[in-house]
Amino acid sequence: MLNYIRAEIYKLLRRKYTYIALGVMLLLEALLVGGFVFTNAGGGHTGFWDGSLLVAGMGAVGFCACMITGDVVFAGQYKNATLKNEVSFGLSRTRIYLGKFIVQTLLSIVYMVVMIVFYVGSCWLFLYQDPESDLRALQIIGYFLAVGLPLWIGGQAVACMCQFLLNGEMAASFAYVGIVFVLDGVLDILSMMNYGSRMGEVLATVKVYLPRPMLDMAVSVVGDWTFLGEAWLVGLFWVAVCTAIGLSGFYKNSI
Amino acid sequence: MNENEAVLVTYGLQRAYGSCMALDGASMMVRRGDVYGLVGRNGAGKTTLMRMVTGQSEPSGGEMELFGASGKDMRLQRSRTGAMIETPSFAPFLSARENLEYYRLQRGIPGKGVVDEVLEQVDLTGAGKKKFKSFSLGMKQRLGLALALMNHPDLLILDEPINGLDPEGVAEFRQILRTLNQERQTTILISSHILSELSNVATRYGFMEKGKLLEEISAATLHDKCRTCLRLEVDDPAKAAAVLQSVLGTDRFEVLPGGIIQLYDYLDDPKQASYALTQNGVALLAMEQKGADLEAYFLSLIGGGRDA
C-alpha cells in the first residue's frame, strides 16, 4: 500500500491540476480579504472576528473541495484506461481503491490546512484586531474544523465511490452533487409530505445525519463535545458505507 | 520449472456480454518457452481472452490457471507477467520516463535504473522527456512494451503489439521478442492481424473463431502442413508409391487417404513425375501444385472469411 501511495503522490506532484486547483482557491480567498481591506480603506470596519468567522459559515466550500481533490487524483483513470495497467500487474482492486481514497484524503487535508492558514493568516495580517474577540473567533473556527474534518472525509468517500462506480467524470460529479448537495433537500420535501407519520420522522432524522446538514449545525453548538463525537461517528459511517459500496461495484466492473 | 510446464491453461473459458458470447468455451495451453500466436479475425475473442488472463474482466464460466495457480491465487501470479492489451494507456500529462517511474514505484520494482534500461530496450531513450500526449501511435506502442518489460516478466501478453510501428520498428520489435524468448526464456502470448509477421516469431499457434479455440498447433507441424508439394490423385496409391521410389528415386512423399499422394520433389519438373507414373501403368486423375502460408491455413480452417 505504501508503494501505491508513494506512486500516487509522485504523480500528483507532477500534475498542473494539483497546483492550479489550489491556486484558484487561494486567489478567491485573497480576493475576499482584498475586498475587506478595500472597504476598510473606504471607512469600513471589518475586523479579524468578522473576516475569519466566515470560515465557519462556508462548510459547503469544503464539500466542493472534496469533489475537486477527488478529481485531481482520479481524473482520467477511466478515460485514459490506465487502471488496466494496475490490475493486470496483479494489484488488488482493494489496494487500488483504498490507495486512491487515502491519497485523495491526504490531498484534501493539505489543501484544507493551506487554505485555512492562508485565509486566517491574511485576516490576521490585514484586518483590525481585538485580542478578546479574536481568541473567541479562533476557538469557534477550531471547533468548526474539528467537526468538519470527519464530515469532509465522509464527503471524500462519497466522491471516491462515485468516481469508481461511474465510468465518466461528469457523471461522477453529478452523482456527488446529488448526494451531498441535493439529497437533504429531497429528504426535507419527502419528510414534509409525510409530516406526522413515522416515515416523515425517519426521513427527517436521516437528513440530520447527512454530512453537509450536520456541518451546518456546528456553528450553533460550539463547544458541544457530544455533537463533535457524533460528527466523527457520522463521518466514519459514511466512509465505511461508501467504501463498501464503491469497492463491491469496482470489483464487478470490467476495466 | 521444466520446459513443458504449462504457464497458462484455460478450461472452457466463457464470457457473455448480454446475449452475445464473446468467449464460448475457449480451452488453450501455453507452455513455458512458447511464443504462442493467437490468430483470429476481429471479434473472435482474442482480446477478451487476454483481458481475462490479466484480470481486467471476469469470466462468466470456465477456469484458468496461471503458473499453476487458479482462482484468487492467480492474482499474485500476475506480478510475473507483463501485458499490453489494446491501446497502450498512460497519463497524458507525464513524460515517458515519469510514467514508467510512476509504475515502478507503484509496483515496488527496485532500482531507478530499470526505467532507463527499458526505455533503451524499446529505443525511446531520446523521447524520455516528451509528454505521452504528444507521442505517435508507434511511440505509444513502444512505451507500452517498455512497461510490460519493466518487471522482467516470465510471461509476456501482447495484444496487437505491432499496430502503428514502422517497418524498422517491426523488425526491432521482432528482435526484442526473439531475445526475450531465447535469452531470458520469456514465454510470450501474442495476437496480431499481421500473420506474416506473427509467423516470423511464433513457435505455436492457437486459432480462434467465434469465441472458441478451433485448433492449437506447433509452428513445426504447421510448416509441415503448409509445405509446397505436388498433389497427385491416382487410382492405385501403392503402385504409384513404388513407381516414385523405384523410377524417380525419391521417398519425399506422403500417401494420404482417398488416393492422394503429396510429393515434395519434382516441384520444378512436374511433367517428369506425371510421365513416370503414366508410363508405369498408374492412372493420374489429377495433379496440382499446392502450398499454403499461415493466412491460407487459417482461412481454410475457418472456411474462408473477411480478415484475420
Side-chain angles (χ1 to χ4, degrees), chain A residues 3-4 6-8 10-11 14-15 80-82 84-93 254-255, chain B residues 51 54-57 75 78-79 85 87 89-90 92-94 98 101-103 105-108 147 151:
Chain A
N3 285 336
Y4 195 91
R6 270 179 68 201
E8 286 300 315
Y10 174 88
K11 189 166 76 174
R14 281 156 186 78
R15 187 166 209 180
N80 302 320
T82 45
K84 71 181 180 187
N85 294 336
E86 304 177 12
V87 171
S88 63
F89 184 70
L91 298 181
S92 77
R93 294 194 185 206
S254 283
I255 291 168
Chain B
R51 281 167 52 83
T54 53
Q56 294 174 37
S57 103
R75 184 179 62 76
R78 289 200 178 104
S79 61
I85 312 290
T87 319
S89 305
F90 292 92
F93 53 88
L94 294 181
E98 286 169 343
E101 179 62 11
Y102 165 71
Y103 286 110
L105 291 169
Q106 189 186 73
R107 297 172 178 193
L147 176 63
N151 57 323

Side-chain angles (χ1 to χ4, degrees), chain B residues 43-64:
Chain B
K46 308 183 294 293
T47 302
T48 306
L49 190 143
M50 288 178 165
R51 281 167 52 83
M52 276 182 223
V53 174
T54 53
Q56 294 174 37
S57 103
E58 289 294 313
S60 321
E63 285 177 23
M64 288 182 279

Side-chain angles (χ1 to χ4, degrees), chain B residues 144-208:
Chain B
L145 182 64
L147 176 63
L149 296 178
M150 202 159 62
N151 57 323
H152 302 301
D154 293 322
L155 171 64
L156 195 55
I157 302 169
L158 304 169
D159 182 25
E160 304 289 349
I162 54 178
N163 277 1
L165 292 183
D166 55 27
E168 192 188 354
V170 171
E172 286 170 9
F173 183 81
R174 188 192 311 141
Q175 194 50 45
I176 290 171
L177 292 193
R178 282 190 180 140
T179 306
L180 287 170
N181 181 247
Q182 286 161 15
E183 292 179 11
R184 289 194 192 165
Q185 283 75 49
T186 307
T187 306
I188 299 168
L189 171 62
I190 178 172
S191 76
S192 177
H193 281 129
I194 306 168
L195 299 187
S196 56
E197 194 47 49
L198 201 56
S199 65
N200 280 327
V201 290
T203 59
R204 194 170 168 77
Y205 296 96
F207 295 98
M208 288 193 78

Side-chain angles (χ1 to χ4, degrees), chain A residues 8-9 11-23 25 64-77 100 103-104 107-108 111 156 159 163 169 173, chain B residues 91 93:
Chain A
E8 286 300 315
I9 291 172
K11 189 166 76 174
L12 266 185
L13 294 176
R14 281 156 186 78
R15 187 166 209 180
K16 282 183 191 162
Y17 191 177
T18 312
Y19 304 101
I20 291 172
L22 183 61
M25 289 189 272
C64 290
C66 290
M67 195 165 64
I68 293 168
T69 50
D71 200 48
V72 170
V73 175
F74 195 85
Q77 295 286 337
K100 296 226 187 284
V103 174
Q104 286 177 345
L107 183 67
S108 293
Y111 271 20
Q156 196 66 68
Q163 284 160 337
E169 281 135 36
S173 300
Chain B
F93 53 88

Side-chain angles (χ1 to χ4, degrees), chain B residues 208-227:
Chain B
M208 288 193 78
E209 172 70 354
K210 292 179 183 165
K212 289 189 167 69
L213 200 82
L214 299 179
E215 185 181 12
E216 282 185 309
I217 188 172
S218 73
T221 310
L222 182 72
H223 181 258
D224 280 347
K225 283 191 174 187
C226 294
R227 255 195 307 176

Side-chain angles (χ1 to χ4, degrees), chain B residues 2-19:
Chain B
N2 75 54
E3 194 87 344
N4 284 324
E5 186 183 342
V7 167
L8 170 68
V9 192
T10 70
Y11 305 97
L13 215 54
Q14 292 179 325
R15 175 70 201 189
Y17 291 104
S19 59

